[in-house]
Amino acid sequence: MKPTAPQGRLVRQWRGHTVEVGEKGLLIDGRTVDRTPLTEKDAVRPQDDVRAHPALQFLPGGALVYRGHVQAEVHPHEVTVHGPTGTDWPPEPARPDPGPIGPAAERDDDLDIDF
């Protein structure tokens, strides 16, 4: 399926700034952050959790996620722009530390009592 051209736009007043998503991509206060617009390919599928979808998220701490990256941090008196190369989102879950491997894993911890 060929992605269709973007249609319409979303304009949101958020934390004292104007965030716009449309055919020109992502703009904050009229400043272009990412020129790539969202298409049908970026849409949330019915089986996906919309709260973790990487297309567009306004996070409580001020991070703005667009197309899978934290592209800006929006605060009432400042905007920090990271652009399309910002941190990946959602972040990969932390993996538990497997602990020591090899001879160190087999060492006796002296917690047992031998008679």
Side-chain angles (χ1 to χ4, degrees), residues 74-111:
V74 180
H75 301 286
H77 299 290
E78 69 176 329
V79 175
T80 303
V81 174
H82 304 294
T85 59
T87 307
D88 287 344
W89 193 89
E92 293 206 17
R95 296 188 177 128
D97 183 13
I101 299 173
E106 298 172 10
R107 97 185 128 128
D108 189 3
D109 60 6
D110 289 331
L111 294 178

mmCIF file of all heavy atoms in Angstrom, residues 74-111:
data_model
loop_
_atom_site.group_PDB
_atom_site.id
_atom_site.type_symbol
_atom_site.label_atom_id
_atom_site.label_comp_id
_atom_site.label_asym_id
_atom_site.label_seq_id
_atom_site.Cartn_x
_atom_site.Cartn_y
_atom_site.Cartn_z
ATOM 1 N N VAL A 74 9.462 21.049 25.425
ATOM 2 C CA VAL A 74 8.708 22.301 25.437
ATOM 3 C C VAL A 74 8.401 22.689 26.881
ATOM 4 O O VAL A 74 7.802 21.923 27.625
ATOM 5 C CB VAL A 74 7.403 22.146 24.623
ATOM 6 C CG1 VAL A 74 6.620 23.437 24.624
ATOM 7 C CG2 VAL A 74 7.721 21.699 23.198
ATOM 8 N N HIS A 75 8.840 23.881 27.246
ATOM 9 C CA HIS A 75 8.590 24.424 28.580
ATOM 10 C C HIS A 75 8.002 25.819 28.405
ATOM 11 O O HIS A 75 8.148 26.430 27.353
ATOM 12 C CB HIS A 75 9.885 24.445 29.386
ATOM 13 C CG HIS A 75 10.490 23.075 29.520
ATOM 14 N ND1 HIS A 75 9.984 22.108 30.341
ATOM 15 C CD2 HIS A 75 11.544 22.514 28.888
ATOM 16 C CE1 HIS A 75 10.701 21.007 30.233
ATOM 17 N NE2 HIS A 75 11.656 21.221 29.351
ATOM 18 N N PRO A 76 7.336 26.355 29.420
ATOM 19 C CA PRO A 76 6.637 27.625 29.253
ATOM 20 C C PRO A 76 7.465 28.770 28.652
ATOM 21 O O PRO A 76 6.951 29.535 27.862
ATOM 22 C CB PRO A 76 6.168 27.959 30.668
ATOM 23 C CG PRO A 76 5.988 26.620 31.304
ATOM 24 C CD PRO A 76 7.092 25.769 30.740
ATOM 25 N N HIS A 77 8.737 28.886 28.977
ATOM 26 C CA HIS A 77 9.504 30.024 28.477
ATOM 27 C C HIS A 77 10.640 29.629 27.544
ATOM 28 O O HIS A 77 11.445 30.487 27.159
ATOM 29 C CB HIS A 77 10.048 30.847 29.647
ATOM 30 C CG HIS A 77 8.951 31.408 30.498
ATOM 31 N ND1 HIS A 77 8.112 32.416 30.067
ATOM 32 C CD2 HIS A 77 8.513 31.079 31.735
ATOM 33 C CE1 HIS A 77 7.231 32.688 31.005
ATOM 34 N NE2 HIS A 77 7.458 31.882 32.033
ATOM 35 N N GLU A 78 10.728 28.327 27.196
ATOM 36 C CA GLU A 78 11.787 27.914 26.286
ATOM 37 C C GLU A 78 11.414 26.626 25.570
ATOM 38 O O GLU A 78 10.619 25.833 26.057
ATOM 39 C CB GLU A 78 13.114 27.724 27.021
ATOM 40 C CG GLU A 78 13.129 26.538 27.952
ATOM 41 C CD GLU A 78 14.492 26.311 28.591
ATOM 42 O OE1 GLU A 78 15.510 26.610 27.970
ATOM 43 O OE2 GLU A 78 14.507 25.829 29.726
ATOM 44 N N VAL A 79 12.016 26.439 24.402
ATOM 45 C CA VAL A 79 11.853 25.221 23.625
ATOM 46 C C VAL A 79 13.247 24.745 23.248
ATOM 47 O O VAL A 79 14.033 25.498 22.669
ATOM 48 C CB VAL A 79 11.027 25.469 22.339
ATOM 49 C CG1 VAL A 79 10.969 24.205 21.493
ATOM 50 C CG2 VAL A 79 9.637 25.953 22.685
ATOM 51 N N THR A 80 13.570 23.518 23.604
ATOM 52 C CA THR A 80 14.839 22.912 23.205
ATOM 53 C C THR A 80 14.528 21.963 22.058
ATOM 54 O O THR A 80 13.746 21.026 22.225
ATOM 55 C CB THR A 80 15.475 22.135 24.368
ATOM 56 O OG1 THR A 80 15.646 23.020 25.470
ATOM 57 C CG2 THR A 80 16.811 21.545 23.966
ATOM 58 N N VAL A 81 15.122 22.206 20.898
ATOM 59 C CA VAL A 81 14.845 21.396 19.712
ATOM 60 C C VAL A 81 15.979 20.397 19.499
ATOM 61 O O VAL A 81 17.144 20.772 19.478
ATOM 62 C CB VAL A 81 14.694 22.297 18.468
ATOM 63 C CG1 VAL A 81 14.555 21.466 17.209
ATOM 64 C CG2 VAL A 81 13.495 23.221 18.632
ATOM 65 N N HIS A 82 15.604 19.128 19.366
ATOM 66 C CA HIS A 82 16.569 18.069 19.055
ATOM 67 C C HIS A 82 16.454 17.652 17.599
ATOM 68 O O HIS A 82 17.406 17.147 17.027
ATOM 69 C CB HIS A 82 16.337 16.850 19.950
ATOM 70 C CG HIS A 82 16.386 17.167 21.403
ATOM 71 N ND1 HIS A 82 17.522 17.593 22.047
ATOM 72 C CD2 HIS A 82 15.414 17.143 22.347
ATOM 73 C CE1 HIS A 82 17.251 17.804 23.327
ATOM 74 N NE2 HIS A 82 15.979 17.550 23.530
ATOM 75 N N GLY A 83 15.284 17.820 17.009
ATOM 76 C CA GLY A 83 15.067 17.471 15.614
ATOM 77 C C GLY A 83 14.927 15.970 15.394
ATOM 78 O O GLY A 83 14.808 15.188 16.335
ATOM 79 N N PRO A 84 14.965 15.540 14.123
ATOM 80 C CA PRO A 84 14.739 14.140 13.770
ATOM 81 C C PRO A 84 15.756 13.167 14.367
ATOM 82 O O PRO A 84 15.510 11.978 14.401
ATOM 83 C CB PRO A 84 14.823 14.130 12.250
ATOM 84 C CG PRO A 84 14.610 15.535 11.831
ATOM 85 C CD PRO A 84 15.094 16.393 12.953
ATOM 86 N N THR A 85 16.878 13.661 14.840
ATOM 87 C CA THR A 85 17.897 12.772 15.408
ATOM 88 C C THR A 85 17.823 12.695 16.925
ATOM 89 O O THR A 85 18.745 12.202 17.568
ATOM 90 C CB THR A 85 19.308 13.245 14.998
ATOM 91 O OG1 THR A 85 19.504 14.583 15.475
ATOM 92 C CG2 THR A 85 19.492 13.190 13.505
ATOM 93 N N GLY A 86 16.722 13.139 17.497
ATOM 94 C CA GLY A 86 16.562 13.076 18.950
ATOM 95 C C GLY A 86 16.521 11.645 19.463
ATOM 96 O O GLY A 86 16.538 10.683 18.694
ATOM 97 N N THR A 87 16.431 11.502 20.753
ATOM 98 C CA THR A 87 16.410 10.191 21.400
ATOM 99 C C THR A 87 15.247 9.349 20.895
ATOM 100 O O THR A 87 14.137 9.846 20.727
ATOM 101 C CB THR A 87 16.267 10.379 22.923
ATOM 102 O OG1 THR A 87 17.272 11.262 23.378
ATOM 103 C CG2 THR A 87 16.373 9.051 23.658
ATOM 104 N N ASP A 88 15.501 8.060 20.669
ATOM 105 C CA ASP A 88 14.435 7.141 20.248
ATOM 106 C C ASP A 88 13.354 7.063 21.313
ATOM 107 O O ASP A 88 13.639 7.133 22.507
ATOM 108 C CB ASP A 88 14.990 5.732 20.029
ATOM 109 C CG ASP A 88 15.829 5.623 18.772
ATOM 110 O OD1 ASP A 88 15.746 6.529 17.917
ATOM 111 O OD2 ASP A 88 16.568 4.632 18.640
ATOM 112 N N TRP A 89 12.098 6.894 20.859
ATOM 113 C CA TRP A 89 10.988 6.733 21.780
ATOM 114 C C TRP A 89 9.986 5.771 21.183
ATOM 115 O O TRP A 89 9.726 5.844 19.989
ATOM 116 C CB TRP A 89 10.308 8.081 22.031
ATOM 117 C CG TRP A 89 9.381 8.030 23.191
ATOM 118 C CD1 TRP A 89 9.692 8.268 24.494
ATOM 119 C CD2 TRP A 89 7.999 7.699 23.167
ATOM 120 N NE1 TRP A 89 8.580 8.107 25.269
ATOM 121 C CE2 TRP A 89 7.531 7.752 24.487
ATOM 122 C CE3 TRP A 89 7.110 7.340 22.164
ATOM 123 C CZ2 TRP A 89 6.219 7.486 24.825
ATOM 124 C CZ3 TRP A 89 5.804 7.067 22.497
ATOM 125 C CH2 TRP A 89 5.372 7.151 23.817
ATOM 126 N N PRO A 90 9.409 4.857 21.907
ATOM 127 C CA PRO A 90 9.628 4.648 23.329
ATOM 128 C C PRO A 90 10.997 4.022 23.575
ATOM 129 O O PRO A 90 11.497 3.279 22.739
ATOM 130 C CB PRO A 90 8.504 3.697 23.750
ATOM 131 C CG PRO A 90 8.068 3.023 22.493
ATOM 132 C CD PRO A 90 8.394 3.956 21.365
ATOM 133 N N PRO A 91 11.583 4.353 24.726
ATOM 134 C CA PRO A 91 12.900 3.784 25.022
ATOM 135 C C PRO A 91 12.777 2.276 25.216
ATOM 136 O O PRO A 91 11.742 1.773 25.618
ATOM 137 C CB PRO A 91 13.309 4.469 26.325
ATOM 138 C CG PRO A 91 12.049 4.970 26.911
ATOM 139 C CD PRO A 91 11.092 5.208 25.778
ATOM 140 N N GLU A 92 13.863 1.583 24.898
ATOM 141 C CA GLU A 92 13.853 0.135 25.100
ATOM 142 C C GLU A 92 13.840 -0.147 26.596
ATOM 143 O O GLU A 92 14.521 0.534 27.358
ATOM 144 C CB GLU A 92 15.081 -0.494 24.451
ATOM 145 C CG GLU A 92 15.036 -0.376 22.948
ATOM 146 C CD GLU A 92 15.837 -1.462 22.278
ATOM 147 O OE1 GLU A 92 16.151 -2.473 22.927
ATOM 148 O OE2 GLU A 92 16.125 -1.288 21.107
ATOM 149 N N PRO A 93 13.075 -1.155 27.022
ATOM 150 C CA PRO A 93 13.042 -1.465 28.452
ATOM 151 C C PRO A 93 14.414 -1.926 28.932
ATOM 152 O O PRO A 93 15.148 -2.582 28.202
ATOM 153 C CB PRO A 93 12.012 -2.579 28.573
ATOM 154 C CG PRO A 93 11.764 -3.070 27.199
ATOM 155 C CD PRO A 93 12.231 -2.015 26.239
ATOM 156 N N ALA A 94 14.727 -1.543 30.156
ATOM 157 C CA ALA A 94 16.011 -1.935 30.724
ATOM 158 C C ALA A 94 16.008 -3.443 30.936
ATOM 159 O O ALA A 94 15.036 -4.019 31.409
ATOM 160 C CB ALA A 94 16.237 -1.216 32.045
ATOM 161 N N ARG A 95 17.100 -4.051 30.583
ATOM 162 C CA ARG A 95 17.229 -5.495 30.770
ATOM 163 C C ARG A 95 17.885 -5.757 32.113
ATOM 164 O O ARG A 95 18.837 -5.070 32.478
ATOM 165 C CB ARG A 95 18.065 -6.080 29.644
ATOM 166 C CG ARG A 95 17.380 -5.922 28.307
ATOM 167 C CD ARG A 95 18.119 -6.669 27.225
ATOM 168 N NE ARG A 95 17.383 -6.536 25.984
ATOM 169 C CZ ARG A 95 17.910 -6.140 24.853
ATOM 170 N NH1 ARG A 95 19.181 -5.854 24.790
ATOM 171 N NH2 ARG A 95 17.177 -6.048 23.780
ATOM 172 N N PRO A 96 17.415 -6.771 32.840
ATOM 173 C CA PRO A 96 18.034 -7.062 34.135
ATOM 174 C C PRO A 96 19.468 -7.537 33.950
ATOM 175 O O PRO A 96 19.789 -8.206 32.973
ATOM 176 C CB PRO A 96 17.150 -8.161 34.715
ATOM 177 C CG PRO A 96 16.396 -8.735 33.563
ATOM 178 C CD PRO A 96 16.311 -7.649 32.525
ATOM 179 N N ASP A 97 20.313 -7.170 34.881
ATOM 180 C CA ASP A 97 21.713 -7.558 34.853
ATOM 181 C C ASP A 97 21.805 -9.050 35.137
ATOM 182 O O ASP A 97 21.334 -9.514 36.175
ATOM 183 C CB ASP A 97 22.496 -6.763 35.898
ATOM 184 C CG ASP A 97 23.985 -7.062 35.865
ATOM 185 O OD1 ASP A 97 24.442 -7.695 34.894
ATOM 186 O OD2 ASP A 97 24.673 -6.665 36.817
ATOM 187 N N PRO A 98 22.411 -9.829 34.225
ATOM 188 C CA PRO A 98 22.472 -11.265 34.445
ATOM 189 C C PRO A 98 23.429 -11.664 35.564
ATOM 190 O O PRO A 98 23.455 -12.806 35.988
ATOM 191 C CB PRO A 98 22.952 -11.816 33.102
ATOM 192 C CG PRO A 98 23.704 -10.693 32.489
ATOM 193 C CD PRO A 98 23.023 -9.440 32.978
ATOM 194 N N GLY A 99 24.211 -10.726 36.057
ATOM 195 C CA GLY A 99 25.164 -11.035 37.126
ATOM 196 C C GLY A 99 26.462 -11.560 36.550
ATOM 197 O O GLY A 99 26.651 -11.635 35.343
ATOM 198 N N PRO A 100 27.366 -11.951 37.423
ATOM 199 C CA PRO A 100 28.661 -12.430 36.936
ATOM 200 C C PRO A 100 28.514 -13.755 36.195
ATOM 201 O O PRO A 100 27.674 -14.582 36.516
ATOM 202 C CB PRO A 100 29.490 -12.597 38.212
ATOM 203 C CG PRO A 100 28.522 -12.614 39.336
ATOM 204 C CD PRO A 100 27.287 -11.913 38.862
ATOM 205 N N ILE A 101 29.341 -13.904 35.190
ATOM 206 C CA ILE A 101 29.349 -15.117 34.375
ATOM 207 C C ILE A 101 30.745 -15.715 34.448
ATOM 208 O O ILE A 101 31.741 -15.002 34.418
ATOM 209 C CB ILE A 101 28.975 -14.789 32.913
ATOM 210 C CG1 ILE A 101 27.566 -14.204 32.870
ATOM 211 C CG2 ILE A 101 29.071 -16.016 32.031
ATOM 212 C CD1 ILE A 101 27.157 -13.702 31.514
ATOM 213 N N GLY A 102 30.821 -17.020 34.531
ATOM 214 C CA GLY A 102 32.114 -17.697 34.553
ATOM 215 C C GLY A 102 32.521 -18.055 35.968
ATOM 216 O O GLY A 102 31.687 -18.238 36.856
ATOM 217 N N PRO A 103 33.853 -18.163 36.226
ATOM 218 C CA PRO A 103 34.344 -18.603 37.521
ATOM 219 C C PRO A 103 33.858 -17.742 38.693
ATOM 220 O O PRO A 103 33.612 -18.244 39.780
ATOM 221 C CB PRO A 103 35.860 -18.514 37.390
ATOM 222 C CG PRO A 103 36.127 -18.528 35.933
ATOM 223 C CD PRO A 103 34.917 -17.948 35.275
ATOM 224 N N ALA A 104 33.679 -16.447 38.474
ATOM 225 C CA ALA A 104 33.220 -15.580 39.558
ATOM 226 C C ALA A 104 31.805 -15.955 40.001
ATOM 227 O O ALA A 104 31.441 -15.806 41.158
ATOM 228 C CB ALA A 104 33.264 -14.121 39.131
ATOM 229 N N ALA A 105 30.982 -16.474 39.094
ATOM 230 C CA ALA A 105 29.618 -16.847 39.423
ATOM 231 C C ALA A 105 29.581 -18.113 40.274
ATOM 232 O O ALA A 105 28.614 -18.356 40.980
ATOM 233 C CB ALA A 105 28.817 -17.049 38.152
ATOM 234 N N GLU A 106 30.625 -18.922 40.217
ATOM 235 C CA GLU A 106 30.647 -20.186 40.939
ATOM 236 C C GLU A 106 31.367 -20.106 42.282
ATOM 237 O O GLU A 106 31.472 -21.086 42.989
ATOM 238 C CB GLU A 106 31.323 -21.239 40.065
ATOM 239 C CG GLU A 106 30.560 -21.485 38.780
ATOM 240 C CD GLU A 106 31.330 -22.378 37.835
ATOM 241 O OE1 GLU A 106 32.369 -22.946 38.253
ATOM 242 O OE2 GLU A 106 30.917 -22.502 36.687
ATOM 243 N N ARG A 107 31.850 -18.976 42.651
ATOM 244 C CA ARG A 107 32.633 -18.886 43.884
ATOM 245 C C ARG A 107 31.747 -19.100 45.096
ATOM 246 O O ARG A 107 30.558 -18.757 45.100
ATOM 247 C CB ARG A 107 33.387 -17.559 43.925
ATOM 248 C CG ARG A 107 32.736 -16.472 44.690
ATOM 249 C CD ARG A 107 33.501 -15.197 44.546
ATOM 250 N NE ARG A 107 32.491 -14.243 44.123
ATOM 251 C CZ ARG A 107 32.289 -13.105 44.705
ATOM 252 N NH1 ARG A 107 33.099 -12.677 45.619
ATOM 253 N NH2 ARG A 107 31.313 -12.329 44.334
ATOM 254 N N ASP A 108 32.315 -19.621 46.135
ATOM 255 C CA ASP A 108 31.589 -19.914 47.370
ATOM 256 C C ASP A 108 31.452 -18.625 48.165
ATOM 257 O O ASP A 108 32.412 -17.901 48.383
ATOM 258 C CB ASP A 108 32.360 -20.963 48.170
ATOM 259 C CG ASP A 108 31.579 -21.484 49.351
ATOM 260 O OD1 ASP A 108 30.416 -21.070 49.508
ATOM 261 O OD2 ASP A 108 32.131 -22.289 50.096
ATOM 262 N N ASP A 109 30.250 -18.330 48.606
ATOM 263 C CA ASP A 109 30.024 -17.090 49.344
ATOM 264 C C ASP A 109 30.174 -17.268 50.844
ATOM 265 O O ASP A 109 29.914 -16.363 51.611
ATOM 266 C CB ASP A 109 28.648 -16.513 49.011
ATOM 267 C CG ASP A 109 27.532 -17.459 49.351
ATOM 268 O OD1 ASP A 109 27.789 -18.520 49.946
ATOM 269 O OD2 ASP A 109 26.377 -17.142 49.009
ATOM 270 N N ASP A 110 30.579 -18.465 51.303
ATOM 271 C CA ASP A 110 30.826 -18.780 52.721
ATOM 272 C C ASP A 110 29.604 -18.594 53.608
ATOM 273 O O ASP A 110 29.727 -18.381 54.798
ATOM 274 C CB ASP A 110 31.990 -17.936 53.290
ATOM 275 C CG ASP A 110 33.315 -18.385 52.706
ATOM 276 O OD1 ASP A 110 33.430 -19.575 52.355
ATOM 277 O OD2 ASP A 110 34.205 -17.538 52.609
ATOM 278 N N LEU A 111 28.402 -18.681 53.037
ATOM 279 C CA LEU A 111 27.208 -18.584 53.850
ATOM 280 C C LEU A 111 26.766 -19.953 54.374
ATOM 281 O O LEU A 111 25.950 -20.037 55.264
ATOM 282 C CB LEU A 111 26.069 -17.919 53.068
ATOM 283 C CG LEU A 111 26.300 -16.457 52.710
ATOM 284 C CD1 LEU A 111 25.130 -15.931 51.892
ATOM 285 C CD2 LEU A 111 26.483 -15.615 53.971
#
